[in-house]
Amino acid sequence: MLTTHIIDDVVARALAEDAPWGDLTSELLIPEEAWASARLEAREPGVFSGGAVWEATMRRVDPRIRSALLVDDGERFEAGAVLATVEGPARGILRAERVALNLVQRMSAIATETARYVAAVAGTGARIVDTRKTTPGLRALERAAVRAGGGHNHRFSLSDAVLAKDNHLAVLAQQHGGDVTEAIRAVRAQLSHTTHLEVEVDRLDQIEPVLAGGVDTILLDNFTLDELRAGVALVAGRALVDASGGVTLDSVGAIARTGVDLISVGALTHSVRALDLGLDIGLPEARPAAPPARP
C-alpha cells in the first residue's frame, strides 16, 4: 500500500503546509551557498520505520541533498544510534527537517509499539492487527509502520471488505424481519468470492446465527476472557475469530491465550507518542567545488 505516489503526495502536502511561501528564517539567516551535514540520531530505543519517507522529504525539498539510511525498516535500535545521515544545501536540510522528523518519529513510534504487542503474544498463534483508527491522510504510512513492527493490516478502507458492526446489523435485521442469518446470507449472495466478510457480535448467543449466515471472520467485541474462550469453542474453526475492544499491552497476552486468531488493536495508531529522534546539523561549510569541465 505504501507506494512512491502515496509517499510523494503526503510529503508534498506536509511541506506545503509547513512552508507555503518558503522558509523565511533560513532564507534570511543562512547563505544560499552554505553546505551542511547532519545525523538522524535516536534518543531512545525503538524499531525504525519510514526510511523511504525520510529520503523522499529530503529529495523533494532539494534534489542535491544526499541521504544515507543506516538502518532498515523493522530494524531495532538503541538510544544513541545513528539512523541516517544527510549532506547538502543547509537551507534545504533545515526546511525538510521538521516534516521528515514528524513523519519518521510517528512511524517509528507505531512500529515500536506494534513490536511490543507482537512480543506479548509470541507463541500463541494470534496475529496483532491494526484498525481504521488512523490519522486522516496518513493511513498508508501508519499501516506500513505496523508491518515494520511485525503486525498485520486489517482492511485498508471501507472499500476493501465487508465488516458489519452492531449498527449495520440493527438496520439490516429490520429489513429481514429480525433474521440476522438471512440478512448475512443476502449480503454474501452479493459478494464476489474474493471479498472477505466479517461480522461483529457482542454476545455469545449471536455467534451461531452469524456463523449460519456464512462469514469468513467473526469479531468478538468487548468479550471477557471467559467469554472469548467460550466463543472460540463455539466457533470451532468454522471462521476466523477476531477479538477487539479496549485491548492493552497488559491484557493482550491473556486475550491471545484464549485461542483467538486475530486481535485488533486501535491503540497501535491512535494513541502512540512520537518516538524521540533528533537531527543534529553540523556547522555550515562551503559548498564543494564543482569538478572542472571536460575539454
Side-chain angles (χ1 to χ4, degrees):
M1 291 292 183
L2 191 57
T3 64
T4 299
H5 173 76
I6 290 174
I7 293 172
D8 288 344
D9 179 62
V10 169
V11 167
R13 286 187 287 107
L15 289 170
E17 177 184 65
D18 200 42
W21 302 285
D23 177 1
L24 186 60
T25 305
S26 295
E27 289 166 14
L28 289 174
L29 294 178
I30 307 299
E32 186 176 359
E33 69 276 9
W35 209 257
S37 60
R39 307 194 310 172
L40 175 63
E41 295 191 8
R43 294 170 180 163
E44 61 179 314
V47 176
F48 186 68
S49 180
V53 176
W54 175 268
E55 290 187 316
T57 307
M58 295 293 169
R59 183 172 60 248
R60 188 171 187 90
V61 168
D62 194 324
R64 295 172 295 172
I65 298 175
R66 295 188 294 275
S67 179
L69 294 169
L70 305 181
V71 293
D72 295 324
D73 278 31
E75 186 173 340
R76 294 180 181 273
F77 55 82
E78 298 300 325
V82 178
L83 308 177
T85 61
V86 293
E87 182 180 355
R91 283 185 180 181
I93 293 174
L94 288 165
R95 180 176 175 182
E97 175 186 8
R98 178 43 53 197
V99 167
L101 277 174
N102 283 351
L103 294 173
V104 173
Q105 284 179 303
R106 179 157 184 81
M107 292 181 71
S108 295
I110 291 169
T112 301
E113 186 71 355
T114 301
R116 294 188 182 112
Y117 275 83
V118 171
V121 303
T124 65
R127 284 186 170 190
I128 297 299
V129 179
D130 55 21
T131 72
R132 285 173 42 248
K133 296 175 182 178
T134 53
T135 307
L138 296 183
R139 180 171 296 172
L141 274 63
E142 294 179 348
R143 288 288 179 82
V146 168
R147 296 194 301 274
H152 297 265
N153 297 147
H154 209 286
R155 59 176 177 167
F156 185 79
S157 71
L158 291 173
S159 303
D160 297 318
V162 175
L163 173 47
K165 296 198 157 191
D166 51 357
N167 287 335
H168 296 100
L169 293 180
V171 175
L172 195 58
Q174 290 178 359
Q175 309 302 312
H176 294 270
D179 189 337
V180 172
T181 300
E182 185 56 35
I184 295 171
R185 284 176 177 163
V187 171
R188 171 61 83 188
Q190 300 177 65
L191 296 179
S192 72
H193 66 283
T194 61
T195 304
H196 198 88
L197 173 57
E198 180 169 354
V199 174
E200 175 188 277
V201 301
D202 52 23
R203 302 191 316 271
L204 285 168
D205 62 356
Q206 295 173 312
I207 291 177
E208 282 297 343
V210 165
L211 287 173
V215 298
D216 301 300
T217 300
I218 188 162
L219 175 61
L220 309 184
D221 188 47
N222 285 308
F223 276 40
T224 67
L225 293 177
D226 286 341
E227 289 171 337
L228 285 173
R229 281 186 283 269
V232 169
L234 280 172
V235 174
R238 290 177 285 171
L240 292 174
V241 179
D242 188 355
S244 73
V247 180
T248 68
L249 197 54
D250 289 334
S251 67
V252 71
I255 292 171
R257 289 189 289 275
T258 65
V260 299
D261 302 292
L262 311 166
I263 304 175
S264 294
V265 187
L268 298 181
T269 52
H270 72 54
S271 296
V272 294
R273 170 190 61 81
L275 210 66
D276 193 0
L277 310 177
L279 186 67
D280 295 324
I281 298 180
L283 293 176
E285 302 172 357
R287 179 178 175 179
R294 292 182 178 180

